[in-house]
Amino acid sequence: MASTKEINQPNFYSQSIEESLSQLEVDPKNGLTTSESEKRLNEYGKNKLEEKKRKSIFMMFLEQLNDYLIYVLFAAVAITFFMGEYTDGIIILIVIFINAFLGLFQEIRANNAIDALKNLSHPKALVRRDGKTMEIDSELLVPGDIVLLEAGRIIPADLRLVESASLQIDESALTGESVAAEKDAEVQLEEDYIPLGDRINLAYMSTLVTYGRGSGIVIGTANNTEVGKIAGYLDTDDNEKTPLEIRLDHLGKTLGKIAIGVCILIFIISYFQGRDLTEMFLTSVSLAVASIPEGLAAIVAIVLSIGVTKMAKQNAIIKKLPAVETLGSVTIVCSDKTGTLTQNKMTVQEAFTFSDGLISVDDEAENTFEENLLAEAMVLASDATLENDKQTGDPTEVALLSLADQWEMDRKELGNKQPRVDELAFDSDRKMMSTLHSVDEEYILYTKGAVDNLIEQCNYVLQDEKEIEITEDHKKEVSKAVEEMSNKALRTLAVAYKKTSSKIEKEKFEEDLVFIGVVGMIDPPRDEVKDSIQKAKDAGVTTIMITGDHANTAFAIAKELGIADNQNQVTTGKEINNASYEELESHISEYRVFARVSPEHKVNIVKAFKAKGNIVSMTGDGVNDAPSLNAADIGVAMGITGTDVAKNASDMILADDNFSTIIGAIEQGRNIFNNIKKSVIFLLASNLGEVVAMLVSIVAGLPVPLLATQLLWINLITDTLPAVALGMDPGDPAVMKEKPRTINENFFSHGGTRKILIGGILIGLLTVVAFLIGYFEHGYNPMNDDIPDDIHAYARTMAFLTIIASQLFYSLSFRSEYKSIFQVGIFSNKYLVGAIILGFGLQLMVLFIPLMRNAFKLQLIGLNDWLMVLGLGLVPLIVNEIIKLFLKRSKNK
């Protein structure tokens, strides 16, 4: 049960601690009683975001049938049943329901994948109840609960802080501010409205404690939290159709009209020819069915399902099947820096001491006394933890612990030998923190912080294991080292120490210090990202970095990754604020890096790129990213660090939060669309061949070359096998050497129409030729009326086998637009080879099993006729291969 009742109250940030405690009727020392918490749980509901009610499986199944093409097929079923051709009608119904069940299966599986991601873990909450401290599931929190906070804890509900000790909270998921917010419980804000990021006496659900400790009283749970309110804004039923859905819908309507036109045309011709109208009505219905690729919707669903399953294995979870097609048209990928382009793991790269100068920490030379003391100070003056890749605390401090491990220092032994006895926490004014440790009845103090602030508190420097009085030259040397590190986008941190014979007061901690050195650290790029960005560039896809970092840091990473070449390609949130939207839109193509931007800026950036005709992908993980994910053509949420709201607003989820997965998904999306196109074009060419064969024969006054049951067998069974196999074609490596497909490109571009017309006309005419041969070799004129039934059956057998052979062989030419079947490899698509073999096997089964041969009104044929069938069947393939040769030469010229 989700939250059902709101707390009727003024803004808690404008209340004192006492007023908040009084309103929610709780004693901060004891917390709520068990009975009171259970009462409030029934009153307010569980602390879980309320989700939009899922459609029932039956409704999802009905939606699979809500398609114009399906309506036409249902009409064909009704007509065939009316005519007494129950077998034909049942076959069509089977195809319709197979298609619907495939779509239903994939939708259920996609929903289950999302649910699994959302339910990976329920954060626990440390609360005070009945005067005891206990850990409970965060879903059981109620307004009035006293929640205890410490570094590494996720805030489980909206809180009015009651206590705070150097408390810092990462609110980037909600406010977009990358720097942790400092909190103060004692502050009482008196203005009527304060922005979320400035409410320093409140803590919000889904944010993270990075430093210090505190406690707070729950003032909002579930959908009554700030996160819940944003989730509510996004809970809409807006299901805009993708280009693929629109094209398939349009194709279905067009083919439906063609089918009606074919029926009318045959009736008119048959009427004037004096044919049996009842017989021709059934023939016209069969031909109408032949003009519609019944398997199209099912095949598209199968191809998408196979592709999406493959993408899921590659860590890209697609929420809607047709969204795959949009990936192939993406021209702009807007990516967050931290964790997506980078490892989201601060790493120390360089260190500076006066004895060694500026060094790489990867240098395998033995560490000097100064370097060891530098690492020792950073380990001891730290509140972070790092054990077996499990970490808590500030990422910067975790990086310093990693450096100690890299230098093979025993951190545990270090802590035992120098236990901490006092500390002075970090604050934003001093920009330093200090810890005092006891060592053999003496004391040593370690201080770390911003270089400029720390060096001013130092009277000495450590050089060659000696404490030397600091000079201006020393300061210049430090400044030079810091500048070199900054130019490499390294974040710098300085360390100092001093020894004392007795314990000292905190006021004197940071006086008369000895400067040890500086470390430079960075969140390094992922190893595979640079190659992925180049691959995207070759494919005509531009990568855009969007980050909350400073411009210099962002540019350094962007330059290393090949995203930006010069500083002019960088702009900042401040510059965006100072410009109008029209100016942003006019200059948007000039930028590759957007630094220090807010979530509000992201929406305008997406809109500006889209206004220039781009198809935009946008990554995001926070609640505040949801609007930009919605605005993008493909919204990509982070599966590991992403919030539920971001995942709900997205089209795709990255299970590994990796940029390279996006580029892999684009490549897969392109190949999937190409495979769908191959299947569609093949089906249309095959169906056109059937229509041409029937129309030519009827217009020429010949008997019909194919009976209704034969047409349906060809159309529903034989055509489908190669079409599915083409949909499973291996990805073409060259697909990422091509420019993105335009969003309005249809199935008939790039030679699609040519393949349909040439293939369809050739298949149809060759079928008529085979049909005539069946008469002439027995000495009969097909225009005569006194032809035995077995001769009609023989001629139709020739036509039946020839049209099947033509279609099966012709499917081989669809593997590539320019490469011959030998360059692609005849056996490189084992599914297609298998489909062709199975297709011929099915025809042999129909021909040689007497029961089926009689049902389909066929005759056994001789060896010479088999050679004739195979020879005619190869013609469309050979003609298309010759055309490819000329097209390739023309392209090369």
Side-chain angles (χ1 to χ4, degrees):
M1 181 175 67
S3 182
T4 57
K5 177 182 175 181
E6 288 191 48
I7 303 170
N8 184 19
Q9 42 86 21
N11 293 321
F12 274 100
Y13 57 75
S14 64
Q15 290 185 343
S16 67
I17 295 172
E18 291 73 21
E19 287 172 331
S20 298
L21 292 168
S22 174
Q23 180 178 335
L24 290 163
E25 301 175 355
V26 62
D27 174 9
K29 292 182 180 179
N30 296 313
L32 297 174
T33 64
T34 301
S35 59
E36 179 62 22
S37 63
E38 289 175 354
K39 177 184 174 184
R40 295 190 186 190
L41 186 63
N42 290 328
E43 186 178 356
Y44 291 99
K46 283 190 175 183
N47 180 32
K48 183 179 181 181
L49 293 183
E50 188 173 5
E51 298 178 7
K52 182 170 62 177
K53 188 177 180 181
R54 284 264 172 90
K55 296 170 186 170
S56 67
I57 292 179
F58 180 69
M59 287 305 298
M60 285 193 287
F61 177 76
L62 289 181
E63 285 186 356
Q64 308 302 319
L65 302 175
N66 186 20
D67 181 87
Y68 191 88
L69 186 60
I70 302 298
Y71 297 155
V72 173
L73 292 178
F74 274 129
V77 169
I79 294 170
T80 51
F81 278 161
F82 177 77
M83 295 301 301
E85 299 293 332
Y86 301 111
T87 303
D88 301 348
I90 289 170
I91 291 173
I92 301 172
L93 278 176
I94 289 171
V95 171
I96 291 173
F97 287 116
I98 286 175
N99 169 51
F101 279 116
L102 277 170
L104 174 65
F105 171 74
Q106 185 55 41
E107 189 170 344
I108 291 172
R109 189 166 62 175
N111 287 337
N112 289 341
I114 303 304
D115 290 340
L117 271 176
K118 290 167 67 175
N119 296 320
L120 282 176
S121 64
H122 287 295
K124 300 291 184 180
L126 200 62
V127 300
R128 197 175 286 143
R129 284 185 180 176
D130 294 320
K132 299 176 183 177
T133 299
M134 60 182 70
E135 193 172 49
I136 64 171
D137 195 309
S138 61
E139 288 188 4
L140 302 179
L141 281 177
V142 295
D145 260 324
I146 300 297
V147 177
L148 306 183
L149 305 176
E150 56 189 23
R153 287 269 181 187
I154 294 175
I155 308 292
D158 282 5
L159 310 176
R160 169 58 166 96
L161 295 174
V162 176
E163 297 176 287
S164 60
S166 304
L167 184 63
Q168 296 181 23
I169 299 178
D170 178 1
E171 297 182 337
S172 59
L174 189 64
T175 66
E177 178 57 53
S178 59
V179 178
E182 295 181 25
K183 297 294 182 177
D184 189 343
E186 299 296 332
V187 170
Q188 183 176 343
L189 302 169
E190 297 181 357
E191 295 181 35
D192 289 336
Y193 175 76
I194 303 289
L196 285 180
D198 295 333
R199 299 176 190 176
I200 62 174
N201 56 9
L202 300 187
Y204 301 108
M205 185 181 191
S206 296
T207 60
L208 175 70
V209 179
T210 60
Y211 194 84
R213 58 182 178 79
S215 65
I217 180 173
V218 175
I219 59 173
T221 58
N223 286 65
N224 295 326
T225 61
E226 293 297 334
V227 169
K229 291 173 187 174
I230 296 175
Y233 299 150
L234 297 169
D235 194 14
T236 64
D237 288 313
D238 184 19
N239 291 319
E240 186 178 349
K241 286 193 173 184
T242 67
L244 179 59
E245 289 175 309
I246 293 169
R247 277 198 285 275
L248 287 174
D249 191 44
H250 177 72
L251 181 61
K253 290 177 181 178
T254 303
L255 293 175
K257 293 173 183 176
I258 291 172
I260 293 170
V262 167
C263 288
I264 294 171
L265 180 62
I266 288 177
F267 255 95
I268 293 172
I269 295 173
S270 300
Y271 176 78
F272 286 107
Q273 288 181 338
R275 295 181 185 245
D276 186 325
L277 292 182
T278 304
E279 178 188 341
M280 292 313 301
F281 179 76
L282 181 58
T283 302
S284 67
V285 169
S286 301
L287 193 53
V289 171
S291 66
I292 304 171
E294 289 85 353
L296 177 60
I299 288 165
V300 170
I302 292 169
V303 174
L304 284 172
S305 181
I306 291 167
V308 166
T309 302
K310 185 176 180 181
M311 291 170 78
K313 291 177 182 177
Q314 297 170 352
N315 296 314
I317 298 172
I318 300 295
K319 291 172 62 180
K320 295 180 181 178
L321 282 181
V324 174
E325 183 246 358
T326 310
L327 276 168
S329 298
V330 166
T331 56
I332 298 287
V333 175
C334 296
S335 175
D336 187 26
K337 178 181 76 69
T338 305
T340 308
L341 296 173
T342 63
Q343 298 174 19
N344 196 19
K345 180 182 178 183
M346 292 298 292
T347 306
V348 179
Q349 301 280 318
E350 296 183 346
F352 166 83
T353 63
F354 287 104
S355 300
D356 309 298
L358 192 61
I359 64 162
S360 167
V361 299
D362 293 327
D363 191 341
E364 295 182 0
E366 188 175 345
N367 290 348
T368 63
F369 173 81
E370 285 81 5
E371 290 169 2
N372 282 330
L373 186 60
L374 182 72
E376 183 179 305
M378 291 176 172
V379 168
L380 294 171
S382 172
D383 289 322
T385 63
L386 175 62
E387 297 295 336
N388 300 322
D389 291 332
K390 293 182 179 179
Q391 60 189 54
T392 62
D394 188 276
T396 299
E397 292 194 341
V398 173
L400 301 177
L401 299 183
S402 296
L403 175 63
D405 292 343
Q406 185 179 337
W407 283 355
E408 299 181 349
M409 299 183 71
D410 190 332
R411 293 189 280 114
K412 189 174 182 180
E413 183 183 357
L414 203 58
N416 292 335
K417 286 184 176 180
Q418 300 185 45
R420 185 186 299 188
V421 294
D422 204 353
E423 65 182 275
L424 185 59
F426 176 90
D427 71 45
S428 57
D429 294 328
R430 294 171 22 255
K431 293 186 179 178
M432 292 183 289
M433 76 165 287
S434 299
T435 57
L436 185 65
H437 302 260
S438 64
V439 186
D440 299 328
E441 298 182 359
E442 292 188 343
Y443 296 90
I444 185 168
L445 179 117
Y446 297 109
T447 301
K448 72 175 190 287
V451 179
D452 293 343
N453 295 53
L454 182 59
I455 202 166
E456 293 303 318
Q457 307 304 317
C458 296
N459 292 339
Y460 304 92
V461 299
L462 186 65
Q463 185 171 0
D464 299 326
E465 302 185 29
K466 297 176 183 177
E467 295 177 4
I468 303 171
E469 191 169 339
I470 195 167
T471 65
E472 286 301 316
D473 287 340
H474 286 129
K475 291 183 179 180
K476 287 179 181 177
E477 197 173 344
V478 171
S479 295
K480 183 181 177 184
V482 169
E483 185 180 355
E484 286 187 41
M485 291 183 190
S486 297
N487 289 338
K488 300 171 187 173
L490 300 182
R491 183 182 298 175
T492 55
L493 188 71
V495 184
Y497 81 107
K498 72 175 174 183
K499 293 180 179 179
T500 67
S501 57
S502 61
K503 194 172 180 181
I504 57 176
E505 299 297 322
K506 287 185 180 180
E507 291 77 14
K508 297 182 179 180
F509 268 23
E510 293 163 355
E511 296 177 357
D512 206 27
L513 299 173
V514 181
F515 192 91
I516 304 174
V518 182
V519 293
M521 61 192 76
I522 196 171
D523 181 8
R526 289 178 180 261
D527 295 333
E528 68 279 11
V529 164
K530 189 171 184 178
D531 290 339
S532 295
I533 289 172
Q534 184 58 50
K535 187 176 184 178
K537 191 180 290 186
D538 293 341
V541 179
T542 303
T543 303
I544 304 295
M545 178 193 289
I546 299 180
T547 177
D549 271 347
H550 291 283
N552 288 342
T553 304
F555 174 65
I557 294 288
K559 188 174 182 181
E560 182 179 347
L561 291 174
I563 292 173
D565 301 319
N566 59 72
Q567 197 75 38
N568 294 332
Q569 294 175 307
V570 181
T571 189
T572 63
K574 184 178 180 181
E575 291 170 349
I576 293 173
N577 275 339
N578 293 335
S580 65
Y581 172 76
E582 288 71 23
E583 289 175 305
L584 173 66
E585 186 180 308
S586 63
H587 294 285
I588 194 73
S589 302
E590 301 169 12
Y591 302 126
R592 295 293 178 269
V593 178
F594 295 86
R596 304 298 284 173
V597 295
S598 68
E600 292 77 16
H601 296 140
K602 290 185 179 181
V603 176
N604 285 337
I605 291 168
V606 169
K607 288 181 178 177
F609 274 121
K610 289 177 71 173
K612 292 292 185 180
N614 293 293
I615 304 302
V616 181
S617 166
M618 167 65 82
T619 66
D621 56 6
V623 173
N624 52 32
D625 290 324
S628 58
L629 294 176
N630 269 337
D633 296 288
I634 292 288
V636 182
M638 303 296 108
I640 299 172
T641 60
T643 59
D644 286 349
V645 175
K647 292 171 187 173
N648 287 336
S650 66
D651 302 291
M652 181 171 83
I653 298 174
L654 300 183
D656 59 356
D657 290 9
N658 192 339
F659 174 84
S660 297
T661 303
I662 303 175
I663 304 306
I666 290 174
E667 179 177 1
Q668 190 71 16
R670 290 187 177 189
N671 279 318
I672 288 172
F673 180 79
N674 286 346
N675 285 350
I676 290 173
K677 182 178 176 179
K678 293 172 190 176
S679 298
V680 171
I681 298 302
F682 169 74
L683 283 173
L684 294 179
S686 297
N687 288 12
L688 178 61
E690 295 159 22
V691 172
V692 167
M694 295 292 284
L695 276 177
V696 167
S697 299
I698 290 171
V699 170
L702 298 170
V704 289
L706 297 166
L707 299 177
T709 51
Q710 294 170 352
L711 276 171
L712 288 167
W713 174 264
I714 295 166
N715 205 37
L716 298 179
I717 307 298
T718 313
D719 290 358
T720 305
L721 293 172
V724 171
L726 284 170
M728 298 169 70
D729 216 25
D732 184 359
V735 76
M736 291 302 275
K737 297 291 183 183
E738 301 169 4
K739 297 304 176 188
R741 187 184 65 256
T742 58
I743 200 68
N744 57 357
E745 180 181 312
N746 59 42
F747 294 119
F748 309 110
S749 56
H750 301 296
T753 303
R754 168 180 53 79
K755 281 190 173 182
I756 293 172
L757 292 177
I758 292 177
I761 292 170
L762 276 176
I763 290 170
L765 293 179
L766 291 168
T767 301
V768 174
V769 169
F771 183 55
L772 294 174
I773 289 172
Y775 286 106
F776 292 143
E777 70 177 10
H778 287 89
Y780 287 96
N781 184 343
M783 304 294 287
N784 295 339
D785 294 330
D786 55 345
I787 300 175
D789 289 343
D790 62 329
I791 300 300
H792 282 306
Y794 198 95
R796 287 190 179 116
T797 301
M798 289 289 291
F800 179 68
L801 295 175
T802 299
I803 196 168
I804 287 169
S806 299
Q807 292 175 358
L808 292 176
F809 286 138
Y810 192 48
S811 66
L812 289 168
S813 70
F814 286 81
R815 298 283 310 284
S816 173
E817 188 175 347
Y818 297 105
K819 295 178 183 176
S820 72
I821 57 173
F822 302 106
Q823 288 176 305
V824 175
I826 295 176
F827 300 101
S828 58
N829 184 342
K830 58 186 178 182
Y831 300 106
L832 183 58
V833 174
I836 293 171
I837 293 171
L838 181 58
F840 275 115
L842 287 170
Q843 309 326 310
L844 292 174
M845 179 183 73
V846 170
L847 191 62
F848 287 104
I849 296 177
L851 181 65
M852 297 193 73
R853 183 168 66 244
N854 294 333
F856 283 93
K857 297 181 174 61
L858 299 173
Q859 291 280 323
L860 292 173
I861 63 172
L863 177 61
N864 289 336
D865 287 334
W866 270 112
L867 293 175
M868 181 69 69
V869 164
L870 294 175
L872 292 173
L874 284 168
V875 171
L877 171 63
I878 294 169
V879 170
N880 196 67
E881 290 299 298
I882 293 171
I883 292 172
K884 276 188 193 177
L885 186 64
F886 284 106
L887 287 174
K888 188 174 181 181
R889 287 180 179 177
S890 176
K891 183 183 177 184
N892 292 336
K893 288 181 181 179

